[in-house]
Amino acid sequence: MELIDVTSAADPRLDDFRALTDTALRAVSEPAGGLYIAESAKVIERAVGAGHRPRSVMVQRRWVDGIRSLLSEHDVPVYVVPDEVAEAVTGFAVHRGALASMHRPPLHSVADVVAGASLVLILEGIGDHTNIGAAFRAAAGLGADAVLVSPRCADPLYRRSVRVSMGTVFQVPWTRITDWDAAVADLRAADIRLAALALRDDAVSLDAYAKNRPERVALMMGSEGEGLSADALASADAIVTIPMTGGVDSLNVAAAAAVALWAMKP
């Protein structure tokens, strides 16, 4: 690890930290596969612990000791900057002290990710990074063995998703579905039943479904506005709903994921 003092926000060595949107980071042509940003020492620690490789770090001076202990075995430049430089580069106040530019790891196939899984969470069409991060945190804390995200889902490695998840996106095996039919075929081949969480008259209540849950099951969650797609609903072995009271018809998708995962626990 090499500590380098940087005093100018215009320094090109800080360019990784200027483009903090999902689109911009994915568009980085070098390295192949793009980058993501890990924010805070805790998140960086979990990313490195999961085997992800840092490319560079921008840190405020008062946080240097913590980063030094995390990255002592990594050959990575650590740019030490004043608070005002960190804010000028990123466009926001960097309260958590450190940002790491990380190489995106290659995604595994659906078949590989669900191999041996008994409880899978499938997120379809969820565009809000906060909801993605909260759903991953629920998956990690409530026993999901894997998470699958659809092509239209927000990026689990976007810095807000990572931060809201408290770094648990590095803890739960996950991948992105590229073809729905192929993914369903992989799940069927693994003898995983599909349960769609949806508001329908023919839905079975979550508690009733949980009493006789399949040995291996995937819970499918859709966006709060549109819900699950017609293709997802058509592929389901069961339609399941969370009974509600007080005139409320549904929960936030991350809260619903937490409730459903809890109910599925052995």
Side-chain angles (χ1 to χ4, degrees), residues 67-201:
I67 293 300
R68 194 196 308 270
S69 64
L70 289 178
L71 301 177
S72 60
E73 298 180 3
H74 291 265
D75 183 16
V76 57
V78 176
Y79 302 118
V80 183
V81 300
D83 293 1
E84 60 271 18
V85 169
E87 184 170 352
V89 170
T90 62
F92 61 89
V94 184
H95 295 300
R96 291 168 178 81
L99 297 173
S101 170
M102 307 290 297
H103 295 266
R104 281 182 177 270
L107 290 176
H108 296 288
S109 69
V110 170
D112 285 345
V113 169
V114 303
S118 63
L119 182 58
V120 178
L121 180 64
I122 301 177
L123 304 175
E124 188 197 32
I126 299 171
D128 185 90
H129 291 100
T130 297
N131 282 337
I132 291 289
F136 266 84
R137 189 172 180 181
L142 296 171
D145 302 303
V147 178
L148 306 179
V149 298
S150 77
R152 294 189 300 112
C153 274
D155 182 16
L157 293 183
Y158 184 65
R159 66 182 184 86
R160 183 166 182 80
S161 303
V162 173
R163 186 170 71 245
V164 171
S165 81
M166 295 297 291
T168 56
V169 294
F170 309 121
Q171 182 176 328
V172 184
W174 70 274
T175 196
R176 189 174 290 274
I177 294 169
T178 55
D179 180 271
W180 180 260
D181 290 338
V184 170
D186 287 334
L187 290 163
R188 299 282 186 221
D191 198 28
I192 294 175
R193 302 294 181 181
L194 300 177
L197 274 289
L199 298 173
R200 274 199 353 196
D201 292 339

